[in-house]
Amino acid sequence: MKLDSLEELYVEELRDLYNAEHQILKALPKMAKAASSPDLEKGFQEHLQQTKGQVDRLDQIFADLGKSTKGKKCEAMEGLLKEGAELLEVDAEPSVLDAALIAAAQRVEHYEIAGYGCVRTYAKLLGHSEATKLLQQTLDEERRTDEKLTELAVGSINTEAVEPEGNQAKKSPAQKAARRA
Ligand code: FE
Ligand code: FE
Ligand code: FE
């Protein structure tokens, strides 16, 4: 591959994100199904709908550029999602699995935030004002999704995972007393 200009890098990075979003489209329904918390399940479902809109934005940007969306596989997203999928094979307490799903999902969102931040900045530098606007919208959605995941984790899910119901009987009275202290 040859990259001679920021415009070429811009297109390559957009293709990486386009491929990443399609991988995410396949993964989110599985993550929603695996979630025990209704709020987390709903969050994944909502982000699935948002992701479809994000793909539409990228389609519009490629159409305006007169470029093909194809030609790049996002190896990083494949790896992140593979780690997430491994969780679904594990025999885990439901609340612990929810905490782990959030950790996996936040890794995905952070990758997207980095990618969209870069292409939004390139679009601006290259004078693609409509694309700048569209990419900023997606960037805002990814950031908001990351924040919502933090709110779910901090608000309840991580706390429930500290001492899942099914595990309480296994803890000694001394351990429980220590936790209450
Ligand atoms: Fe996305
Ligand atoms: Fe990538
Ligand atoms: Fe996302």
Side-chain angles (χ1 to χ4, degrees):
M1 186 178 61
K2 216 162 150 266
L3 287 174
D4 287 330
S5 66
L6 190 71
E7 179 89 29
E8 285 175 20
L9 177 62
Y10 173 58
V11 174
E12 274 306 297
E13 294 281 330
L14 285 172
R15 285 183 178 139
D16 186 81
L17 283 163
Y18 191 80
N19 178 267
E21 294 289 17
H22 278 87
Q23 293 186 45
I24 294 166
L25 280 179
K26 282 194 213 148
L28 277 169
K30 293 176 204 163
M31 294 170 81
K33 212 175 138 205
S36 301
S37 150
D39 287 340
L40 183 59
E41 185 186 355
K42 197 170 136 247
F44 285 142
Q45 298 285 8
E46 281 172 7
H47 199 49
L48 174 63
Q49 295 312 313
Q50 250 175 359
T51 300
K52 289 176 186 168
Q54 296 173 352
V55 169
D56 290 343
R57 286 185 197 123
L58 289 172
D59 274 319
Q60 191 187 324
I61 292 168
F62 279 106
D64 291 345
L65 285 167
K67 300 272 186 192
S68 159
T69 57
K70 298 209 167 55
K72 188 129 188 354
K73 180 167 132 194
C74 181
E75 306 277 358
M77 190 54 67
E78 190 177 65
L80 289 175
L81 293 174
K82 203 173 147 220
E83 277 195 10
E86 280 169 11
L87 291 171
L88 309 184
E89 312 291 316
V90 177
D91 176 25
E93 281 290 334
S95 56
V96 179
L97 181 61
D98 279 357
L101 286 170
I102 290 178
Q106 286 195 293
R107 284 178 170 85
V108 169
E109 295 313 313
H110 283 229
Y111 183 89
E112 294 187 282
I113 289 165
Y116 279 107
C118 289
V119 288
R120 182 276 326 266
T121 300
Y122 299 162
K124 205 171 175 184
L125 274 167
L126 294 164
H128 300 305
S129 56
E130 181 62 20
T132 306
K133 206 180 81 196
L134 293 170
L135 294 168
Q136 183 66 52
Q137 283 171 1
T138 295
L139 178 60
D140 292 342
E141 286 174 1
E142 310 294 21
R143 282 183 178 150
R144 185 67 199 118
T145 300
D146 179 50
E147 285 166 11
K148 277 201 223 162
L149 287 165
T150 298
E151 284 162 19
L152 281 174
V154 174
S156 59
I157 289 172
N158 283 358
T159 327
E160 279 160 31
V162 173
E163 197 165 335
E165 254 157 50
N167 270 355
Q168 276 173 10
K170 291 178 211 158
K171 286 224 164 55
S172 71
Q175 276 176 307
K176 284 187 184 170
R179 271 195 39 74
R180 277 195 300 268

